[in-house]
Amino acid sequence: MNKKGYTLVEILVVVAIIGFLAAAAVYAVNVARIKGRDAKRMADLEQIRKAMEIYYDDNKEYPGTNGVYYRNPSCTWNILGTNEIPDILPSSYLNPIPDDPRNNNAGGCYFYGPQNNKKGYIIIMYPEDYKAVGSGMGCFAVVPNWYCVGENFN
């Protein structure tokens, strides 16, 4: 018998293999993007933390009053009001204030709260992959599944 083409089963097997490989590649790229955004978030929090420490060295207290400040205009959760980090941290300490890579409420806001009469603070963010990131400076008891940095917080 003279064979001049591929059978339908052979074509379907090849298409299934290509589809599986494409799905695996898309998943791997998405995981890499999530890890990249979380790494940027952690670097942003460290940058804000350093600016807060410089502010403290100059003023002997951390900026702000009681309440929670956020960085991201789309983070309009009711408990936050309209306080933004740029309103309390002069641009001479950090310019520009970093934004979350996604800029939305689904894993994308930075929050700052002065603590202990402005002798401490906490900065938190919600990572997309909490299990890979961890809780930062032991803030799991304060804000579970969030990553935080800070000084003298409770």
Side-chain angles (χ1 to χ4, degrees):
M1 185 165 162
N2 195 1
K3 191 174 180 183
K4 292 189 174 191
Y6 298 104
T7 66
L8 181 59
V9 172
E10 292 171 327
I11 292 172
L12 289 176
V13 167
V14 168
V15 167
I17 291 171
I18 290 171
F20 176 76
L21 292 174
V26 167
Y27 175 77
V29 166
N30 191 42
V31 167
R33 292 176 71 200
I34 287 171
K35 288 183 179 185
R37 286 191 299 263
D38 281 346
K40 182 187 183 312
R41 288 182 183 104
M42 289 188 295
D44 286 351
L45 261 58
E46 184 62 21
Q47 193 176 16
I48 296 170
R49 185 193 69 76
K50 288 178 181 176
M52 294 295 176
E53 295 301 327
I54 294 169
Y55 183 95
Y56 184 85
D57 287 344
D58 291 347
N59 299 285
K60 305 303 180 231
E61 66 181 12
Y62 293 104
T65 58
N66 292 335
V68 177
Y69 298 83
Y70 63 92
R71 178 60 183 147
N72 185 337
S74 68
C75 294
T76 54
W77 297 355
N78 292 335
I79 61 168
L80 298 176
T82 59
N83 302 321
E84 286 200 52
I85 293 173
D87 295 338
I88 59 165
L89 186 64
S91 62
S92 59
Y93 291 96
L94 183 60
N95 191 14
I97 303 285
D99 282 324
D100 183 85
R102 290 187 79 177
N103 278 331
N104 63 35
N105 285 339
C109 299
Y110 301 147
F111 301 98
Y112 164 78
Q115 304 277 310
N116 300 322
N117 295 322
K118 300 201 285 187
K119 298 299 180 193
Y121 68 92
I122 187 170
I123 307 169
I124 59 175
M125 65 87 171
Y126 189 77
E128 292 178 70
D129 186 5
Y130 174 76
K131 291 177 183 169
V133 170
S135 65
M137 298 178 62
C139 66
F140 184 77
V142 179
V143 279
N145 297 334
W146 291 66
Y147 179 86
C148 72
V149 297
E151 189 71 39
N152 296 326
F153 62 87
N154 44 349

